[in-house]
Amino acid sequence: MGSTLRSQYKNMTTSGVRTRRSRNWHRRLGMVLAACATALTTLPMASRALAQETGQTIQPIEPLPQPNAPAAPPITSDPVSPSLNSAPNFAPSSSANSSFAPTFEPNNCPFTLPPEFARETVRCGMVTVPERHSNPTGKTIRLGVAILKSKSANPQPDPLVMAQGGPGGSMLELLPAFLPSLAGMRDRDIILFDQRGTRYSEPFLFCQEVYDFKVQNARFPDSPALRDRYQAAVAGCRDRLKNSGVDLAAYNSLESAADVPLVVQAAGYGGPFNFYGVSYGTMLAQHLMRDFPDRLRSVILDSVAPLDTSFIVHLPRNTDRALRRFFEACRRDRLCGSTYTTLEQDFLGAVAKLRARPQVIQLPNYGELQDLLEGRLSIENLDPNRLAVPVLLDGDGFISAVSTAFYSSASIPKLPQALRETRQNSYAGILRVLPLLLFSKSQADGVYNSVMCSEDGGFTLAEVDASGVYPEIAPALLQAPEELLRTCQTWQVPPLAPKANQPVRSAVPSLLLSGELDQVTPPEFAERVARGLDRHYRYVLPGLSHAVFGSSDCVSQMMGGFLQAPDRAPNAACVSQMRTQFEVPKPLRFTPATANNLGISMVIPAGWRLSMQGLAPVWSEVDGSGFATGRVLAVSVAQQSTAEVLRSLPYPTRSLGERRYRNRRWQLYTIDNPSLASIVALYTRRGKTYVVAIDSDSLWHRDAVLEGVLSNFRIQSR
């Protein structure tokens, strides 16, 4: 695998990634993910074939959309909580930064737009702000900013400012995925910014120590000793950042809220602005409504988190609530209810099975891919063993993975089938979101710790309510609050002034949006916040989960209508037509596909698109959240035995025997990794081996695609 990956990645890094690291990151990562499924299944084989026959490398046609990064951590991520003995922190007021003149320094955009948006006008740069707004002449920091210019000949004067959640997530890296959903809001400029300490701001408070801990220890069961080692990693990150001059206590919500008017000013807008925040970003919005009400024309709160309670305290019951409503929605749906009659039992059965017999599986290490594709890691120093991480999947880990799947509304329709396939020891449909959170280098761990410990962690374990929660999952859901309190003792930042945790009263026009199946910020949270908002419109979106923007055209239409007239309720007729959607196995439709350079023709599922071309073409299916959920790769290799071809794969295989399709006998091999639904088919003719690799997020879908592709596989006459 090592030499194979080196030959593939060498071309990527020598073609400009070292000199233009961030600019082409999304294109290169999209290229890798398109070919390698969720765990690098087909990429090495394609690279091997190309290196053997021509020395060429795979060429991407276009980058696949990147998944919408979840706006809050999963229940197994590193929770945080405040130190109870610290002194109050300074709270910036609306006049705290009045004497500071922010500057905008143009810079290259850290993303590549999809081809259909290549003509968009986007200005990117860095805005300088004080690290402490109470000391405008002191140390400064820089925030990454992107300004998407309006398409209107007469744009509205008030821009829309958009902030990501987390805390610690990056908004800039989401712009390519968000563009289609912004179509109804292009009558004004849109400002996206990375909050202080996050991915494209300086400094970036990423904890390499915590990332390394996860990669090195994910295969071990939970234990007191393991938790001690985790806290040592947190302490190592804390000390490194402090020694580099970072004031960890300055990376809190009040300082970040005071940044926003300066970002708008530096971008060239002097009047009121509109603000959109998702998940933690809704807390930032509430601080703006309290401290800078005169600057706000309107506010959109997506997946609302209240200020006067910690979401961590409610996590057990909110997760339980989302699961029960999901099961009930399936029961009430005619097709889902009749197909998946044991859905709840499948979930609880998988928890029990994995508690009794945990499994070590392999998950993709997205952080290593990021380092490689952005030039921080050279080919010569690449350790191929780090590209896939051994992870212990036990009962608690399975609960976490299912909860994490609810971060993507596009995952929910397929979740019943994914739960059913756990009976067959397949977890591909459950685990596709989890690696993006566990092994990402885009999340600013330091920001997450500083924000949560200063603002959202002032609770005791006695306040954590797990009453009525499934007894099979309650112990797992209580682990996050416990570890959260300990992490904040390690992080050592003071709590904010008491007003930071008081409900906001505001007359700013507000639109509050909640997903019916949100397991982190349920609709009840929005109702709680709405009590203090004099001019608000609140909606619950059926069938959606966390972070509803980008998941439904209905949401985009409502947001666009609200921005045009914040004093009137938006047209919400589309909400009544929404419901939880479910997918069940059904016959697939296929369309012809030809790879003339391979001398073959076949069919692929209708709607799939060619995502890589060359001598190893890949056709991909992408869901509404930007996840590639299915791929077909075709390649031919000369003078290679079956064993040599299989050795090019990163995972061991298991033979399924020989199967005849039309007049050809294919050798079938499944990838022996429960986190994948992948299969490789080989057919040898006249010294040449034809290879078809298929990845999917479910076994039935994989097998249906395989049947269609191989039944229509033809070798062209030369």
Side-chain angles (χ1 to χ4, degrees):
M1 178 179 171
S3 60
T4 301
L5 284 169
R6 283 185 173 87
S7 67
Q8 171 65 27
Y9 287 125
K10 187 172 184 179
N11 179 268
M12 296 183 194
T13 54
T14 57
S15 63
V17 71
R18 287 195 177 94
T19 57
R20 300 171 64 195
R21 294 178 183 177
S22 59
R23 185 176 182 84
N24 290 321
W25 180 83
H26 281 88
R27 174 176 292 277
R28 291 187 173 85
L29 183 58
M31 182 170 75
V32 173
L33 296 184
C36 66
T38 54
L40 307 172
T41 302
T42 55
L43 174 63
M45 180 167 53
S47 176
R48 180 186 182 96
L50 295 175
Q52 289 172 348
E53 295 210 353
T54 67
Q56 299 181 38
T57 53
I58 299 173
Q59 298 298 319
I61 290 182
E62 57 182 277
L64 289 179
Q66 295 307 299
N68 186 343
I75 59 175
T76 56
S77 71
D78 318 316
V80 288
S81 177
S83 170
L84 301 179
N85 297 321
S86 303
N89 193 19
F90 170 76
S93 67
S94 58
S95 60
N97 55 24
S98 59
S99 62
F100 185 85
T103 59
F104 179 91
E105 179 183 346
N107 203 351
N108 290 332
C109 291
F111 47 76
T112 299
L113 298 181
E116 60 268 31
F117 295 100
R119 295 187 177 182
E120 294 284 353
T121 300
V122 185
R123 293 176 55 217
C124 293
M126 306 293 288
V127 172
T128 300
V129 299
E131 186 177 49
R132 288 278 191 174
H133 286 276
S134 60
N135 183 17
T137 61
K139 181 181 177 181
T140 60
I141 58 177
R142 304 206 304 166
L143 312 181
V145 176
I147 305 168
L148 181 64
K149 301 299 290 184
S150 172
K151 287 187 172 182
S152 172
N154 298 295
Q156 297 297 318
D158 43 272
L160 170 64
V161 181
M162 303 187 73
Q164 169 64 308
S170 168
M171 177 56 78
L172 294 192
E173 69 179 11
L174 295 183
L175 177 56
F178 272 175
L179 272 173
S181 299
L182 290 170
M185 292 163 260
R186 302 302 304 281
D187 58 342
R188 67 193 74 242
D189 293 349
I190 299 175
I191 303 173
L192 300 94
F193 78 105
D194 269 16
Q195 297 157 41
R196 55 173 54 206
T198 60
R199 180 69 179 88
Y200 293 113
S201 293
E202 297 174 357
F204 174 33
L205 273 56
F206 169 69
C207 285
Q208 181 71 42
E209 299 84 353
V210 172
Y211 169 83
D212 289 340
F213 169 86
K214 293 177 182 178
V215 171
Q216 296 164 8
N217 294 280
R219 66 186 184 276
F220 298 122
D222 185 33
S223 68
L226 191 68
R227 294 189 181 193
D228 288 345
R229 291 203 297 273
Y230 170 71
Q231 292 302 325
V234 173
C237 179
R238 175 203 65 204
D239 293 343
R240 175 178 54 80
L241 292 175
K242 290 176 68 174
N243 291 338
S244 69
V246 174
D247 180 0
L248 294 178
Y251 292 81
N252 62 62
S253 296
L254 300 183
E255 298 285 357
S256 189
D259 291 339
V260 178
L262 296 183
V263 168
V264 176
Q265 178 184 341
Y269 306 88
F273 57 88
N274 308 278
F275 188 85
Y276 163 90
V278 57
S279 192
Y280 162 70
T282 66
M283 298 175 68
L284 196 63
Q286 292 169 71
H287 291 304
L288 277 169
M289 296 167 80
R290 182 193 58 238
D291 293 343
F292 302 92
D294 295 340
R295 296 301 312 276
L296 293 170
R297 174 178 177 265
S298 71
V299 167
I300 301 174
L301 306 178
D302 177 353
S303 305
V304 186
L307 297 181
D308 60 338
T309 187
S310 171
F311 79 90
I312 292 288
V313 172
H314 303 275
L315 195 58
R317 294 194 66 182
N318 287 342
T319 302
D320 181 87
R321 169 198 167 278
L323 285 169
R324 292 181 188 273
R325 294 202 176 191
F326 166 72
F327 296 144
E328 180 62 25
C330 180
R331 279 193 291 266
R332 292 183 177 182
D333 183 88
R334 180 184 59 82
L335 198 56
C336 187
S338 61
T339 304
Y340 304 103
T341 58
T342 60
L343 190 59
E344 188 175 29
Q345 295 92 316
D346 288 342
F347 168 69
L348 296 175
V351 172
K353 179 176 68 174
L354 289 168
R355 280 219 171 101
R357 296 184 301 278
Q359 299 186 41
V360 175
I361 60 174
Q362 299 282 330
L363 292 180
N365 186 348
Y366 286 114
E368 201 76 1
L369 287 173
Q370 286 175 276
D371 275 352
L372 187 65
L373 300 180
E374 293 183 358
R376 291 188 298 271
L377 177 65
S378 68
I379 297 301
E380 292 74 18
N381 295 325
L382 170 66
D383 179 1
N385 295 321
R386 284 177 63 92
L387 290 175
V389 182
V391 176
L392 182 70
L393 182 62
D394 57 11
D396 290 356
F398 179 78
I399 294 167
S400 176
V402 172
S403 175
T404 301
F406 277 80
Y407 280 113
S408 168
S409 293
S411 297
I412 292 174
K414 295 185 176 184
L415 200 52
Q417 180 66 22
L419 289 171
R420 167 178 281 185
E421 291 186 0
T422 61
R423 303 181 198 169
Q424 301 168 260
N425 199 42
S426 174
Y427 302 95
I430 301 294
L431 294 170
R432 66 193 185 113
V433 179
L434 187 62
L436 288 168
L437 297 177
L438 282 180
F439 306 121
S440 170
K441 290 192 174 181
S442 294
Q443 170 70 18
D445 313 273
V447 173
Y448 181 78
N449 291 350
S450 288
V451 169
M452 294 293 293
C453 293
S454 65
E455 179 177 3
D456 212 19
F459 64 90
T460 66
L461 290 179
E463 298 175 60
V464 181
D465 186 4
S467 60
V469 175
Y470 285 111
E472 296 89 344
I473 71 174
L477 298 176
L478 289 170
Q479 291 177 11
E482 292 174 1
E483 197 66 20
L484 190 151
L485 293 173
R486 190 176 176 192
T487 297
C488 281
Q489 292 175 353
T490 301
W491 198 247
Q492 299 176 358
V493 295
L496 296 177
K499 77 167 187 177
N501 296 118
Q502 295 173 359
V504 167
R505 294 207 60 87
S506 175
V508 176
S510 307
L511 176 65
L512 287 71
L513 303 171
S514 302
E516 177 191 22
L517 300 177
D518 192 335
Q519 86 287 20
V520 179
T521 55
E524 291 78 7
F525 278 9
E527 182 180 2
R528 184 173 186 150
V529 171
R531 295 171 191 153
L533 306 182
D534 297 336
R535 301 158 67 192
H536 76 270
Y537 312 99
R538 185 173 66 88
Y539 300 93
V540 178
L541 288 306
L544 300 187
S545 53
H546 194 65
V548 299
F549 174 64
S551 299
S552 166
D553 291 340
C554 180
V555 173
S556 298
Q557 293 168 16
M558 292 172 63
M559 287 175 57
F562 174 73
L563 288 172
Q564 290 177 7
D567 290 322
R568 297 198 306 267
N571 185 345
C574 56
V575 175
S576 63
Q577 302 172 15
M578 297 177 66
R579 63 181 180 85
T580 306
Q581 302 287 334
F582 295 101
E583 294 184 14
V584 301
K586 61 183 179 181
L588 300 180
R589 294 185 300 108
F590 291 88
T591 187
T594 301
N596 291 325
N597 49 0
L598 298 181
I600 63 172
S601 63
M602 55 185 186
V603 298
I604 59 168
W608 290 29
R609 66 184 185 185
L610 185 64
S611 55
M612 286 192 184
Q613 60 185 348
L615 292 182
V618 178
W619 292 267
S620 301
E621 173 191 50
V622 179
D623 72 10
S625 292
F627 288 97
T629 55
R631 299 163 196 78
V632 173
L633 175 144
V635 70
S636 64
V637 291
Q639 308 302 324
Q640 296 293 312
S641 67
T642 296
E644 289 174 310
V645 173
L646 295 177
R647 277 199 298 270
S648 71
L649 297 173
Y651 301 116
T653 58
R654 177 167 47 86
S655 174
L656 298 179
E658 184 179 87
R659 192 174 303 173
R660 180 185 291 273
Y661 294 90
R662 297 178 69 89
N663 296 323
R664 298 184 178 87
R665 295 181 181 274
W666 291 82
Q667 300 293 327
L668 302 184
Y669 297 85
T670 184
I671 302 298
D672 199 12
N673 183 358
S675 70
L676 298 174
S678 305
I679 197 165
V680 179
L682 297 92
Y683 169 71
T684 301
R685 179 191 184 204
R686 298 176 182 174
K688 179 175 287 189
T689 298
Y690 295 89
V691 184
V692 173
I694 295 172
D695 282 310
S696 180
D697 57 2
S698 70
L699 295 176
W700 85 263
H701 187 256
R702 178 201 70 181
D703 294 342
V705 174
L706 179 76
E707 182 74 24
V709 171
L710 297 190
S711 295
N712 293 275
F713 187 93
R714 291 176 173 81
I715 300 174
Q716 300 169 352
S717 301
R718 294 288 184 178

